[in-house]
């Protein structure tokens, strides 16, 4: 299978790194500044990865991931559709650009809209997606096969994509903030920073795995850690007093609202 990547900035390169782990693919890569594409090519160590220009990529590829910023993608797709392989599958990761716009600009070709997050780079991503009616079973299977090395993928109705993005797309930033705060706390109570960060990171990984693997409600798992009159309930109470859960909910709501606002600005 021939797979193209146009625009390998933060997200395009993150996806490309895990998709490159698939056997039997040829990878065609382009980026506005050549150095970025060359750097990625060196990092990939892929026997069949090549740099090309955008038009060459879409003429030859079965599936092309577009990693351009939302303000550039529609104009570039309009240009490239004219020279693309007619059997191509376009994969857009652009925030706020909906499937109808993408289908229109590609002249009714197969389009999958995805919302990945940066952990796709190491195979622990969370990607939501929605496809138009021109994506056949075989195109969808090919896409799913490509995405297996990126982490988890979930198909959603398009109306839920922005809300899902406010958790999964933006969420890594909130989690990094929590790891940083826990590390700072460790330093404040006398631990070396590297140790504090290791403790914080592994605690997040382990707790997330407990939620996933035991399928218990997070509140039940929290109850199991808090003994009467103990240290943990003292910490939990302090989090409540400082609005931890409210702050987390507000973070997601504000991110969602900002996405809607950005869409409005683009329309206006
Ligand atoms: N970052 C995230 O966490 C995230 C999450 C979900 C979705 N997304 C989506 O992913 C897309 C990319 O975001 P990003 O954060 O990766 O942005 P980015 O780092 O700025 O990447 C965009 C890349 O596109 C390149 N480019 C610009 N015009 C081009 C052209 N005509 N042909 C080829 N390459 C071109 C840029 O090259 P130069 O740098 O040389 O100009 C840059 O490397 C956006 O649509 C965004 O909505 C991002």
């Amino acid at each position: 299978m021939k797979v193209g990547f146009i625009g390998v900035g933060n997200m395009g390169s993150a996806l490309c790194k895990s998709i490159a782990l698939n056997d039997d693919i040829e990878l065609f890569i382009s980026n506005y500044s050549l150095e970025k594409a060359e750097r990625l090519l060196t990092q990939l160590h892929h026997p069949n990865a090549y740099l090309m220009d955008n038009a060459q990529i879409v003429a030859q590829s079965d599936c092309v991931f577009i990693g351009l910023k939302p303000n550039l993608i529609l104009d570039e797709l309009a240009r490239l559709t004219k020279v693309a392989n007619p059997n191509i599958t376009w994969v857009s990761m652009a925030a706020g650009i909906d499937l109808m716009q993408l289908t229109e600009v590609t002249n009714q070709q197969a389009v999958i809209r995805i919302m990945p997050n940066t952990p796709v780079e190491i195979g622990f991503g969370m990607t939501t997606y929605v496809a138009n009616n021109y994506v056949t079973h075989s195109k969808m299977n090919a896409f799913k096969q490509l995405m297996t090395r990126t982490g988890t993928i979930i198909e959603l109705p398009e109306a839920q994509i922005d809300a899902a993005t406010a958790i999964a797309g933006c969420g890594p930033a909130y989690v990094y903030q929590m790891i940083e705060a826990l590390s700072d706390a460790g330093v404040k109570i006398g631990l070396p920073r590297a140790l504090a960060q290791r403790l914080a990171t592994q605690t997040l990984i382990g707790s997330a795995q407990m939620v996933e693997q035991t399928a218990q409600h997070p509140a039940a798992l929290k109850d199991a850690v808090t003994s009467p009159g103990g240290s943990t309930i003292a910490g939990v109470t302090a989090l409540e007093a400082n609005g931890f859960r409210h702050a987390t909910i507000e973070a997601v709501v504000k991110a969602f609202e900002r996405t809607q606002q950005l869409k409005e600005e683009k329309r206006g």
Side-chain angles (χ1 to χ4, degrees), residues 7 9-11 31-33 36 54 67-70 93-95 115-116:
N10 293 317
M11 187 46 76
N31 192 72
Y32 183 71
S33 56
K36 249 190 215 175
N54 295 357
L68 304 184
K69 287 284 194 197
M93 60 195 82
M115 279 311 299

Side-chain angles (χ1 to χ4, degrees), residues 5-14 30-37 54 66-73 76 79-80 92-97 114-119 165 168-170 172:
F5 275 84
I6 293 178
V8 286
N10 293 317
M11 187 46 76
S13 67
S30 79
N31 192 72
Y32 183 71
S33 56
L34 195 60
E35 312 86 72
K36 249 190 215 175
N54 295 357
I66 310 284
L68 304 184
K69 287 284 194 197
N71 61 325
L72 297 179
I73 188 168
E76 190 62 11
R79 195 177 73 80
L80 292 176
S92 163
M93 60 195 82
I97 306 291
I114 64 172
M115 279 311 299
N117 65 8
T118 45
T165 305
C170 309

Side-chain angles (χ1 to χ4, degrees), residues 24-68:
D24 299 331
I25 60 166
E26 278 180 81
L27 271 177
F28 307 140
I29 296 167
S30 79
N31 192 72
Y32 183 71
S33 56
L34 195 60
E35 312 86 72
K36 249 190 215 175
E38 285 172 341
R39 203 178 324 128
L40 176 63
L41 195 70
T42 312
Q43 290 168 349
L44 291 178
H45 300 296
H46 193 282
N48 298 311
Y50 311 94
L51 301 187
M52 286 183 185
D53 69 35
N54 295 357
Q56 288 172 317
I57 290 180
V58 301
Q60 297 187 42
S61 299
D62 304 298
C63 183
V64 173
F65 289 78
I66 310 284
L68 304 184

Side-chain angles (χ1 to χ4, degrees), residues 65-99:
F65 289 78
I66 310 284
L68 304 184
K69 287 284 194 197
N71 61 325
L72 297 179
I73 188 168
L74 292 175
D75 287 346
E76 190 62 11
L77 276 178
R79 195 177 73 80
L80 292 176
T81 295
K82 298 187 185 117
V83 292
N85 161 17
N87 202 30
I88 199 167
T89 305
W90 300 100
V91 180
S92 163
M93 60 195 82
I97 306 291
D98 65 38
L99 206 51

